[in-house]
Amino acid sequence: AEAGDDAALRKLLDVLHPADIADLIEQLGGEDRQRLLSVMGDGLDGEILSEMEEGLREEVIGSLDPGQLEAALGDLESDDVVEIIEDLEPERQAEVLEALDAEDRAAVEAALSYPEDSAGRLMQREVAAVPEHWTVGRAIDWLRKSENLPEQFYHLILTDPRMHPVGYVTLGRVLGARRDVRLDTLREDSFRVIPVTQDVEDVAYAFNQYHLISAPVADGDGRLVGVITIDDAIRVLDEENEEDLLLLAGVGDESLNDRTWAITRQRFPWLAVNLVTAILASAVIAQFEGVIAALTALAVLMPIVASMGGNAGTQSMTVAVRAIATKDLTGANAWRVLRREVAAGLLNGLAFAVIVGIVGLLWFGSPMLGVVIGAAMIINLVVAGFAGLLIPLALEKVGIDPALASGAFVTTVTDVVGFFAFLGLAAVVLL
Amino acid sequence: AEAGDDAALRKLLDVLHPADIADLIEQLGGEDRQRLLSVMGDGLDGEILSEMEEGLREEVIGSLDPGQLEAALGDLESDDVVEIIEDLEPERQAEVLEALDAEDRAAVEAALSYPEDSAGRLMQREVAAVPEHWTVGRAIDWLRKSENLPEQFYHLILTDPRMHPVGYVTLGRVLGARRDVRLDTLREDSFRVIPVTQDVEDVAYAFNQYHLISAPVADGDGRLVGVITIDDAIRVLDEENEEDLLLLAGVGDESLNDRTWAITRQRFPWLAVNLVTAILASAVIAQFEGVIAALTALAVLMPIVASMGGNAGTQSMTVAVRAIATKDLTGANAWRVLRREVAAGLLNGLAFAVIVGIVGLLWFGSPMLGVVIGAAMIINLVVAGFAGLLIPLALEKVGIDPALASGAFVTTVTDVVGFFAFLGLAAVVLL
């Protein structure tokens, strides 16, 4: 029965897309996962490895014997192999390189010679390029004879005699034109060449901003060395978005498949930074112990001011971090956006000052307590607007990822200012 | 001199990509923006409108006279016009529709007849489709004669006699094959038809998951009605990512170009919800006023426990919200992930219990105070792990966007539990 189950399972896997199989493997627990992998056994498709989330991939590759690994990687494009290999431990890297045939190995090693996170790592070396002076007919004849075309391509890249990319033509236009038409009369207006050392984030930005489907990559001398396609750019964009989202919440590069111990260690430093900021806030409160002892209502109400400031600051900060990432927030409009953030902080500060003032009054029957908490609220929300914008901008300026560090600074500011304004005003006005 | 400046400016704008011009307009303040728009005047490219951020677009369209609007929209594809029009006020919509020629208007009105956020709104109606039994040569001859091909296309869609899409061939393969080869022998393995009523989020997911470049759209009877291309899908993905990021921070659909009053009103409800949760936390503290009066050190230390819980909860929650969005977190692995989150909460709780215990001891010289804050820390970080995972999952289950509402619930739980555990234990142990 087991063998029958296995056959049925294999049949099921046959109709699934590799990306779905990878997701399935990710969702299974330890034993089921082993079972599934052993059923696939020798037939493990390289595409599945390629779709798998990093941590798990390393585990699966570790469980394959050299023959299986060779079979799996054999039918992948070189850029996919590079993506798999660059995350592996050095010794495992050597193993994988050995599993490749000589030609693929040379291609992968060439890619790995470019800096990490550069266009050179992202590109594929198989390109469909022809001289710019060719006609449609000549290009079609050449394509029909070519053996080493990329698996997917959407443009013919036009090159000059020095192999510099000088334009491209969409395949749709090639197909729609008569055989005697020169290719360079069909070229697209928007054409961008990616330098091979360009950071992948900038590559992804260009694809997104200019709606590129593919773009040629050129070396330092301007010579065509490869092509980057939209699927690679999307992967980078996706990873970046995920990274920003997680960083803003104080989570690093973790995945659902990481083990308890990994995520515990991962999250510890962020919590430790938060502890420091919380202790700073406590130190502010400690300055006012006498005031609190005299009026315990202050202890009851003080977290409200800090919490509202923290929230307002996080709102401003998130908008700022996102706008910096999309290059919408720059020196040119920072001043205008700052005035807006501070004004919005003031307006919401006024609104919530009235609301919490009334809450304070009704709860503890003291009009002056209401005035104090209202005033502290206004101060803290205005400060939140300032801090929420200026802290990410300042971090960006000094070369620190704003998504990484803004949160801790912003909440430190709003906690400290919140407690200090509320308790300080209370000390002056109420005692 | 003004006229000379204008000419120079126009020349500069000529070499910029519409997406960059749109960004430029977004970054300029009121007067400069008006100046730039008036310089472009009649020559305003529809692409620029299409690249512009919604709020600003509405403003710019409002400033154009019907002739200018007609000129701008004339050279856009129907799906781009739909994207522009669907965000406008109804009366402005009517204006724009009138500015279109009869054929475009019919296409746009047809698209608008599909539900908002459905594939029907996203697709373009121009398709490159041929019968499946055709040969490469026949397809090429047809393409050379066709007048109404899409501006960009990457596949030939194969249809059966009832106009159902049954497969597709990449243009690269068409170009690489001999004229007498039948197209259906070249078809791609992975082929997905998008139902015209499918939600755009699911469309974007399919493009991302299966690395699609384009996909045919079919109506309820399975007939080909349009095609969606990767650039549309990326736009949706991007908007979704941005939305999740902003929602998690308590910011709705706002942009850098919104005015002060707009963002003030936008953010108010989120702050109001936060105020309610903060008052709930205060109500917990109020139960322990007597304890605090007897020992003001508790007021100094209590924000630490709440803040650490809030942070840990936000970490778990963000990972969960992201994993739900990418369909990585499902019923199949929720239990496994929950155990991991709670275990990580316990481990970090133990670590920080020791640290804050020592802080409490050194600061206030009371070993029991150290024990109390340590114990409260463990409790709150474990609860944070539970809440951070279960709240997003529960919201998803009842059909509420987890990114929208998780934050308020999670911090309410960690605030309430944090204050209650710390002050409650203190009341029992220390008094």
Side-chain angles (χ1 to χ4, degrees):
Chain A
E2 278 258 325
D5 285 359
D6 285 1
L9 190 53
R10 240 180 247 121
K11 216 165 188 172
L12 185 67
L13 290 174
D14 262 359
V15 299
L16 285 180
H17 188 281
D20 290 330
I21 299 178
D23 283 351
L24 184 64
I25 295 172
E26 285 170 15
Q27 294 210 353
L28 291 176
E31 267 181 53
D32 293 334
R33 185 183 290 170
Q34 281 316 317
R35 173 90 198 285
L36 184 63
L37 285 169
S38 77
V39 167
M40 293 197 288
D42 291 347
L44 184 70
D45 185 345
E47 297 281 342
I48 299 174
L49 280 181
S50 172
E51 300 283 353
M52 230 175 250
E53 169 279 299
E54 276 173 42
L56 184 58
R57 185 157 65 201
E58 180 132 19
E59 203 181 306
V60 172
I61 289 182
S63 75
L64 298 176
D65 62 46
Q68 290 173 323
L69 191 57
E70 199 178 326
L73 298 179
D75 41 45
L76 285 182
E77 303 258 319
S78 64
D79 58 332
D80 292 328
V81 178
V82 170
E83 201 217 333
I84 290 178
I85 217 174
E86 66 183 357
D87 301 323
L88 297 178
E89 311 281 324
E91 43 194 294
R92 186 87 64 238
Q93 281 196 358
E95 255 177 66
V96 175
L97 280 172
E98 265 171 50
L100 299 173
D101 65 37
E103 192 183 337
D104 285 348
R105 192 186 312 145
V108 171
E109 280 174 342
L112 290 176
S113 73
Y114 294 110
E116 211 175 327
D117 293 327
S118 70
R121 295 278 184 106
L122 209 57
M123 70 184 187
Q124 56 187 56
R125 290 155 62 89
E126 301 87 1
V127 296
V130 297
E132 53 179 331
H133 60 82
W134 277 19
T135 60
V136 166
R138 186 156 176 199
I140 290 179
D141 294 341
W142 174 78
L143 285 168
R144 285 188 181 145
K145 274 187 310 215
S146 283
E147 308 261 293
N148 205 15
L149 289 176
E151 205 164 302
Q152 303 264 354
F153 64 107
Y154 315 102
H155 295 97
L156 282 183
I157 297 167
L158 305 181
T159 55
D160 68 13
R162 292 173 305 163
M163 274 304 280
H164 292 193
V166 293
Y168 61 15
V169 183
T170 67
L171 299 188
R173 283 188 149 240
V174 174
L175 278 166
R178 290 171 21 169
R179 283 185 63 91
D180 55 3
V181 172
R182 270 178 67 115
L183 289 173
D184 52 10
T185 63
L186 301 175
R187 77 174 66 179
E188 295 289 297
D189 283 341
S190 80
F191 170 68
R192 271 151 217 282
V193 177
I194 310 262
V196 73
T197 53
Q198 188 167 68
D199 190 275
V200 290
E201 287 200 15
D202 295 325
V203 175
Y205 175 81
F207 269 78
N208 198 21
Q209 175 82 346
Y210 307 118
H211 312 300
L212 305 177
I213 297 295
S214 73
V217 180
D219 65 14
D221 298 326
R223 260 189 302 266
L224 182 66
V225 289
V227 65
I228 292 176
T229 47
I230 180 82
D231 52 317
D232 304 312
I234 290 181
R235 209 181 57 226
V236 174
L237 272 181
D238 231 40
E239 281 171 10
E240 256 182 81
N241 280 323
E242 173 151 352
E243 197 183 279
D244 279 358
L245 182 82
L246 293 179
L247 282 183
L248 276 172
V251 191
D253 183 22
E254 70 169 58
S255 94
L256 275 198
N257 286 294
D258 292 344
R259 296 181 189 282
T260 303
W261 185 234
I263 66 166
T264 304
R265 276 187 319 181
Q266 241 287 343
R267 296 182 190 172
F268 180 89
W270 304 85
L271 292 171
V273 169
N274 183 61
L275 181 61
V276 173
T277 83
I279 289 174
L280 273 174
S282 291
V284 173
I285 300 171
Q287 305 310 309
F288 298 95
E289 270 195 74
V291 192
I292 292 173
L295 192 61
T296 49
L298 297 178
V300 172
L301 294 177
M302 67 183 187
I304 295 178
V305 179
S307 161
M308 292 295 283
N311 252 263
T314 303
Q315 288 179 329
S316 300
M317 173 190 87
T318 306
V319 171
V321 167
R322 171 73 188 173
I324 290 172
T326 58
K327 308 196 185 188
D328 288 327
L329 179 59
T330 64
N333 58 356
W335 175 238
R336 191 152 49 88
V337 175
L338 179 65
R339 272 182 313 188
R340 189 192 69 153
E341 288 294 335
V342 172
L346 182 63
L347 289 172
N348 270 328
L350 287 167
F352 285 105
V354 172
I355 298 170
V356 292
I358 293 171
V359 169
L361 171 64
L362 294 180
W363 197 342
F364 295 98
S366 156
M368 281 317 284
L369 184 57
V371 170
V372 165
I373 193 172
M377 183 71 78
I378 296 173
I379 293 170
N380 209 19
L381 291 205
V382 169
V383 167
F386 264 106
L389 185 74
L390 292 183
I391 288 173
L393 276 174
L395 289 170
E396 164 80 3
K397 196 107 193 172
V398 298
I400 300 174
D401 184 348
L404 172 73
S406 296
F409 285 110
V410 171
T411 51
T412 302
V413 169
T414 53
D415 274 2
V416 166
V417 170
F419 289 128
F420 188 81
F422 179 56
L423 297 174
L425 282 172
V428 173
V429 175
L430 295 176
L431 292 190
Chain B
E2 277 257 324
D5 285 0
D6 285 3
L9 190 54
R10 239 179 247 124
K11 214 163 189 176
L12 184 68
L13 291 174
D14 262 0
V15 299
L16 286 179
H17 188 282
D20 290 331
I21 300 179
D23 283 352
L24 185 63
I25 296 173
E26 284 169 15
Q27 294 210 355
L28 292 176
E31 268 181 50
D32 294 333
R33 184 183 290 168
Q34 280 317 317
R35 173 89 198 287
L36 184 64
L37 286 169
S38 77
V39 167
M40 293 196 288
D42 290 348
L44 183 71
D45 186 345
E47 297 283 343
I48 299 174
L49 280 181
S50 171
E51 300 285 353
M52 230 176 251
E53 168 280 299
E54 276 174 43
L56 185 58
R57 185 157 64 202
E58 181 133 15
E59 206 182 303
V60 172
I61 289 181
S63 75
L64 298 177
D65 62 46
Q68 291 173 324
L69 191 57
E70 198 178 327
L73 298 180
D75 40 46
L76 286 181
E77 303 258 318
S78 64
D79 57 334
D80 292 329
V81 178
V82 170
E83 201 219 332
I84 291 179
I85 217 173
E86 67 183 356
D87 301 324
L88 298 177
E89 311 282 326
E91 43 194 292
R92 186 83 70 231
Q93 282 197 357
E95 256 176 66
V96 175
L97 280 172
E98 267 171 49
L100 299 173
D101 65 38
E103 192 182 337
D104 284 348
R105 191 186 314 143
V108 171
E109 280 174 341
L112 289 176
S113 73
Y114 293 111
E116 211 173 328
D117 294 327
S118 70
R121 294 278 184 107
L122 209 59
M123 70 184 186
Q124 58 187 55
R125 290 153 64 89
E126 300 87 2
V127 296
V130 296
E132 53 179 330
H133 59 81
W134 277 19
T135 61
V136 166
R138 185 155 176 200
I140 290 180
D141 294 340
W142 174 78
L143 285 168
R144 287 189 180 145
K145 273 187 309 214
S146 283
E147 308 261 296
N148 206 14
L149 289 176
E151 204 165 301
Q152 304 265 353
F153 65 107
Y154 314 103
H155 294 97
L156 282 183
I157 298 167
L158 306 181
T159 54
D160 68 12
R162 291 172 307 162
M163 275 303 281
H164 291 193
V166 292
Y168 62 15
V169 183
T170 68
L171 299 188
R173 285 186 148 240
V174 175
L175 277 167
R178 290 172 20 169
R179 284 185 63 91
D180 56 2
V181 173
R182 269 176 67 118
L183 289 173
D184 52 9
T185 63
L186 300 174
R187 74 174 69 178
E188 295 290 297
D189 282 343
S190 80
F191 170 68
R192 270 150 218 282
V193 178
I194 311 263
V196 72
T197 53
Q198 188 168 68
D199 189 274
V200 291
E201 286 200 17
D202 295 325
V203 175
Y205 175 81
F207 268 78
N208 198 21
Q209 174 83 346
Y210 305 117
H211 313 299
L212 305 178
I213 298 294
S214 73
V217 180
D219 65 15
D221 298 325
R223 260 188 302 265
L224 181 66
V225 288
V227 66
I228 291 177
T229 48
I230 179 80
D231 52 316
D232 304 312
I234 289 181
R235 209 180 56 224
V236 174
L237 272 180
D238 230 41
E239 282 172 7
E240 255 183 81
N241 280 323
E242 173 152 353
E243 195 183 280
D244 279 358
L245 182 81
L246 294 178
L247 282 183
L248 276 172
V251 191
D253 182 21
E254 70 169 56
S255 95
L256 274 200
N257 286 293
D258 291 346
R259 296 180 189 282
T260 303
W261 185 235
I263 66 166
T264 304
R265 276 187 319 184
Q266 242 286 343
R267 295 184 190 173
F268 180 89
W270 304 84
L271 293 171
V273 169
N274 183 62
L275 180 62
V276 173
T277 82
I279 289 175
L280 272 175
S282 291
V284 173
I285 300 172
Q287 305 310 308
F288 298 95
E289 269 195 76
V291 191
I292 292 172
L295 191 61
T296 49
L298 297 178
V300 173
L301 294 177
M302 67 182 186
I304 296 178
V305 179
S307 162
M308 292 295 283
N311 252 264
T314 303
Q315 289 179 328
S316 300
M317 173 190 88
T318 305
V319 171
V321 167
R322 172 73 188 174
I324 290 172
T326 58
K327 308 198 185 188
D328 288 327
L329 178 59
T330 63
N333 58 356
W335 176 237
R336 191 153 47 88
V337 175
L338 179 64
R339 272 182 313 188
R340 189 193 70 152
E341 288 294 335
V342 172
L346 182 63
L347 290 172
N348 270 328
L350 286 167
F352 285 105
V354 173
I355 299 170
V356 294
I358 292 171
V359 169
L361 171 63
L362 294 180
W363 197 341
F364 295 97
S366 156
M368 281 318 283
L369 184 58
V371 170
V372 165
I373 193 171
M377 184 71 78
I378 297 172
I379 293 170
N380 210 19
L381 291 206
V382 169
V383 167
F386 264 106
L389 186 74
L390 293 183
I391 287 173
L393 276 175
L395 289 171
E396 164 82 2
K397 197 109 194 171
V398 297
I400 299 174
D401 184 348
L404 172 73
S406 295
F409 285 110
V410 171
T411 51
T412 302
V413 169
T414 54
D415 274 1
V416 166
V417 170
F419 289 129
F420 189 82
F422 179 57
L423 296 174
L425 282 173
V428 174
V429 175
L430 296 176
L431 292 190

